[in-house]
Amino acid sequence: MIQHHPDDNLLVEFASGGLAWGLCLLVSAHLEKCHSCKLKIQMQERIGGGLLCQLAAAEPAPDSLATLLAKIDGEAPSPATLLPQPPPAGPRQAGYPRVLNKLLHHNPAMKWQRISRGLRACRLITGQQRYEICLHHITRGQQVHQHDHGGLEITLVLQGSFSDAQGIYHAGDFVTRHPGQVHRPTASQNEDCLCLSAVEAPAQLTSIFGRLLNPFLRFRPA
Amino acid sequence: MNTSSPASGIARDDSLSLLLMRVGQTRDKQAFAELFRSYAPLIKGFAISHANSQFPVQAADELVQEVMLKVWLKAPSFEPTKSSANTWVYTVMRNCRVDLMRRSSRRDFGDSGINVEDIWDEAQDNHPLTQLQQSRNEALIGAGFKQLPDEQKQALTYVYMHGKSHSEIAAETGLPLGTVKSRVRMGLMRMQTLLKTGEMP
Ligand SMILES: [Zn+2]
């Protein structure tokens, strides 16, 4: 049962096309598993549809319709190419959100880096630069170094669960941490935890020991 | 565009949904031309109000072409039990705009193989409207919107009609981000109640 969701502000940014692409990936992955958020998005899109007629109309270019009809009569792509495609063959995990499987397909050379005892991370190429998108793997029972972040940090739990001072998070949970919210995630004892995360700005390690590890967490979006 | 009263809004809404169904089911080009005449000016208006550095106003006619081509191609997948034509076209338009904006950034940051159809995967949107009422209430949105307090109206205008993120709105208006968030939330809540109940709270 999913307990943690994007807030209504983030959802409406998604529904209205104003959300940064990096975060769209995580929201989309959450929506695939979350019925209640999907219903909210549907509602917000309906508001968008209802507001359509409130827009100031502007006359299209005079040849616009003729050009389009010619295009349709000519070599228009078949409708099938516009419908969502099945995920391509390649490294794929059953149970992963489709959008993640597609991302993994385009990141064939995944480089997992050991960050600290029990914590590994792998940066994903996502075609944007505002957010660093990573997979994080925490070995069962291990605790990540306490850290703060200069920007938004969003974590989507894919497998297993982790906890911090604010709560415990299971597969499908969408965990939002704002700048200044220090936290120290710990994976559950019984299962390794895999997460997809988006970090807006360099994460700051707040423990003295942790500072040594800071170079890894520096902001290197791709 | 017209300042549709709720009543004329319903008629307009229904006839457009019927046209869209005809285009999807029988590939009727005359019906498509009618849809074009209704929606193209709105799409161009949407493009102009959404213009920014990544999406220049010169791209407005390009957006009209792209959206209406998608409308033609995807019309067979339109299901009136799930949404009205207006909402369906709105989502097509939103996706095309994001796609156009991403074309320039893809050149800069590489292609991740993810496209807008993957992000807003319609195949997943398989929730038929539970109440028929809801789609009718959609026609009330325009009138209900005008009754919102000015500050909420302004916030939702930035969100829906200008496609801005909350932090962009805060930067443009000089309002604290928290204020923007709460105005958007309050405006949304009232509009959602209107959609559900047909009455403005
Ligand atoms: Zn949710």
Side-chain angles (χ1 to χ4, degrees):
Chain A
M1 184 65 193
I2 298 176
Q3 304 272 7
H4 300 268
H5 306 271
D7 65 21
D8 289 358
N9 290 110
L10 201 73
L11 287 176
V12 77
E13 288 183 301
F14 180 84
S16 61
L19 189 65
W21 185 253
L23 297 184
C24 283
L25 297 168
L26 272 82
V27 172
S28 176
H30 173 78
L31 288 178
E32 193 177 321
K33 312 279 176 189
C34 184
H35 183 72
S36 68
C37 284
K38 245 186 297 187
L39 289 178
K40 280 188 180 177
I41 292 286
Q42 213 180 26
M43 182 84 88
Q44 291 169 347
E45 288 176 342
R46 227 172 287 153
I47 294 171
L51 291 178
L52 206 59
C53 302
Q54 302 299 311
L55 286 162
E59 208 44 48
D63 57 348
S64 200
L65 178 58
T67 308
L68 189 54
L69 288 171
K71 222 183 278 177
I72 286 169
D73 287 331
E75 307 177 281
S78 81
T81 64
L82 283 147
L83 297 173
Q85 299 294 299
R92 186 190 312 175
Q93 296 285 327
Y96 280 12
R98 262 172 291 189
V99 69
L100 175 61
N101 273 323
K102 210 160 175 203
L103 261 186
L104 294 181
H105 179 73
H106 287 268
N107 283 267
M110 291 173 62
K111 290 198 195 88
W112 283 94
Q113 284 179 281
R114 183 180 177 279
I115 313 310
S116 63
R117 210 180 112 117
L119 175 64
R120 289 181 300 150
C122 171
R123 243 173 84 237
L124 298 175
I125 294 166
T126 55
Q128 52 88 44
Q129 71 162 177
R130 257 182 73 193
Y131 287 85
E132 182 169 69
I133 310 292
C134 284
L135 284 169
H136 280 108
H137 180 276
I138 317 174
T139 308
R140 63 195 69 185
Q142 293 290 328
Q143 190 167 39
V144 174
H145 278 87
Q146 176 164 303
H147 64 282
D148 187 359
H149 359 89
L152 192 63
E153 179 189 84
I154 289 175
T155 307
L156 178 69
V157 184
L158 299 168
Q159 274 172 10
S161 59
F162 79 87
S163 59
D164 63 15
Q166 279 99 352
I168 176 158
Y169 315 100
H170 300 279
D173 276 336
F174 189 97
V175 187
T176 307
R177 289 286 170 265
H178 293 284
Q181 285 183 302
V182 177
H183 73 145
R184 190 170 186 190
T186 305
S188 310
Q189 290 295 339
N190 61 341
E191 200 183 346
D192 289 1
C193 181
L194 184 69
C195 298
L196 182 66
S197 70
V199 180
E200 190 179 19
Q204 312 276 327
L205 293 176
T206 52
S207 75
I208 294 165
F209 177 59
R211 195 162 292 160
L212 297 169
L213 304 166
N214 211 9
F216 161 74
L217 289 163
R218 76 177 184 271
F219 190 45
R220 291 173 311 173
Chain B
M1 205 54 200
N2 66 47
T3 53
S4 61
S5 71
S8 71
I10 289 167
R12 184 169 188 280
D13 187 88
D14 282 347
S15 66
L16 287 169
S17 293
L18 287 173
L19 281 174
L20 185 52
M21 276 171 70
R22 253 164 67 198
V23 172
Q25 287 166 1
T26 65
R27 312 312 275 149
D28 181 334
K29 283 189 189 145
Q30 252 181 322
F32 179 72
E34 275 186 66
L35 273 185
F36 185 95
R37 282 187 280 271
S38 293
Y39 281 121
L42 294 177
I43 298 165
K44 188 156 176 184
F46 173 90
I48 291 169
S49 69
H50 279 65
N52 62 24
S53 58
Q54 287 166 284
F55 182 63
V57 72
Q58 292 79 3
D61 277 301
E62 194 183 342
L63 189 77
V64 171
Q65 291 280 316
E66 301 227 350
V67 174
M68 289 311 296
L69 180 60
K70 283 249 159 92
V71 166
W72 169 259
L73 293 170
K74 293 173 66 164
S77 71
F78 171 66
E79 290 178 51
T81 53
K82 290 185 191 170
S83 67
S84 70
N86 278 349
T87 298
W88 191 84
V89 169
Y90 172 76
T91 60
V92 171
M93 201 163 69
R94 170 200 64 199
N95 291 3
C96 283
R97 171 181 176 258
V98 172
D99 198 39
L100 275 175
M101 281 171 61
R102 281 195 51 72
R103 270 178 219 168
S104 57
S105 68
R106 267 201 297 270
R107 278 194 294 274
D108 298 340
F109 310 123
D111 190 352
S112 65
I114 306 284
N115 57 46
V116 287
E117 311 284 341
D118 297 313
I119 295 292
W120 289 275
D121 187 344
E122 296 110 296
Q124 293 178 38
D125 284 340
N126 47 6
H127 310 293
L129 300 176
T130 43
Q131 305 161 354
L132 257 177
Q133 193 64 38
Q134 285 189 356
S135 69
R136 256 174 264 140
N137 291 347
E138 205 168 284
L140 302 174
I141 288 286
F145 178 72
K146 291 193 183 115
Q147 293 171 35
L148 287 177
D150 283 344
E151 54 184 45
Q152 293 170 24
K153 207 186 303 172
Q154 185 204 34
L156 289 188
T157 298
Y158 273 111
V159 170
Y160 281 107
M161 300 186 190
H162 301 297
K164 302 279 186 196
S165 71
H166 289 14
S167 48
E168 286 168 332
I169 300 171
E172 278 192 30
T173 58
L175 292 168
L177 184 58
T179 307
V180 172
K181 285 186 176 180
S182 71
R183 288 180 181 180
V184 169
R185 268 200 314 274
M186 287 192 288
L188 269 182
M189 263 162 47
R190 301 182 83 152
M191 299 304 278
Q192 283 169 359
T193 307
L194 179 68
L195 268 178
K196 281 184 196 150
T197 65
E199 277 169 37
M200 197 69 174

